């Protein structure tokens, strides 16, 4: 099956994530997501509201996602592409150009981000008591 591979933290799962995963799933028959582990997020300098298990469970519940595995380092992508026999590696446009070296293994695609929504924005919404 034509396999699409992407990675991300997917904290506070929101419509920007859904719209990306929806478009990615339309590029092939199977969409596999490398979900950043809590330890890797610390390396990325990101603090998450939700722990890995919750973020992975939510991703698995998404109709567009076929499988989820942990992303633990920056340099596991070539191995993942080969292990999963991915045909396409794709990310949102904030990553444009950053993973072009993967074109040695598969197609590399960057899709436009969804403006106006982000985990950071959601985190900063103060809930009035
Ligand atoms: N995204 C989007 N629109 C938004 C927010 C995010 O399309 N409004 C996309 C991002 O471009 C990314 C994916 O959703 O492709 C996941 O976003 P994050 O959870 O912020 O992922 P990130 O921390 O960028 O991790 O090795 C790659 C990293 O793990 C990517």
């Amino acid at each position: 099956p034509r396999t699409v591979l992407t990675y991300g933290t997917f904290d506070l799962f929101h419509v920007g994530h859904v719209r990306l995963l929806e478009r990615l799933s339309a590029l092939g028959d199977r969409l596999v997501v490398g979900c950043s582990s809590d330890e890797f997020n610390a390396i990325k300098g990101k603090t998450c509201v939700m722990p890995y298990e919750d973020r992975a469970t939510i991703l698995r519940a998404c109709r567009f996602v076929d499988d989820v595995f942990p992303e633990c380092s920056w340099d596991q992508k070539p191995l993942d592409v080969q292990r999963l026999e991915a045909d396409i590696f794709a990310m949102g446009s904030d990553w444009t150009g950053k993973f072009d070296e993967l074109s040695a293994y598969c197609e590399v695609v960057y899709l436009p981000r969804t403006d106006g929504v982000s985990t950071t924005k959601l985190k900063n919404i103060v809930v009035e008591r």
Side-chain angles (χ1 to χ4, degrees):
R2 188 166 166 75
T3 299
V4 183
L5 173 61
T6 193
Y7 296 80
T9 303
F10 297 100
D11 193 24
L12 298 183
F13 199 58
H14 56 65
V15 289
H17 298 136
V18 172
R19 288 190 69 259
L20 178 82
L21 295 171
E22 181 172 24
R23 283 173 289 157
L24 293 184
S25 68
L27 298 177
D29 307 304
R30 179 171 82 125
L31 174 59
V32 183
V33 181
C35 181
S36 309
S37 67
D38 296 331
E39 298 75 14
F40 182 49
N41 272 321
I43 292 169
K44 289 198 283 187
K46 276 193 159 184
T47 51
C48 275
V49 173
M50 300 168 166
Y52 170 79
E53 281 311 320
D54 291 4
R55 292 183 282 111
T57 299
I58 291 169
L59 280 166
R60 290 191 180 99
C62 177
R63 67 173 60 223
F64 304 117
V65 174
D66 296 289
D67 202 6
V68 180
F69 65 95
E71 176 192 30
C72 306
S73 73
W74 286 115
D75 50 27
Q76 68 183 74
K77 295 182 175 70
L79 289 174
D80 292 338
V81 170
Q82 293 171 81
R83 171 171 58 85
L84 296 163
E85 296 180 7
D87 301 280
I88 302 177
F89 166 84
M91 294 294 290
S93 52
D94 46 317
W95 291 95
T96 299
K98 298 288 189 304
F99 300 114
D100 290 353
E101 75 277 2
L102 292 175
S103 56
Y105 304 97
C106 62
E107 271 180 73
V108 176
V109 172
Y110 302 101
L111 296 180
R113 271 174 72 93
T114 300
D115 287 335
V117 62
S118 72
T119 302
T120 307
K121 277 202 171 85
L122 290 168
K123 273 189 200 172
N124 294 335
I125 292 172
V126 176
V127 178
E128 297 304 322
R129 294 219 174 280

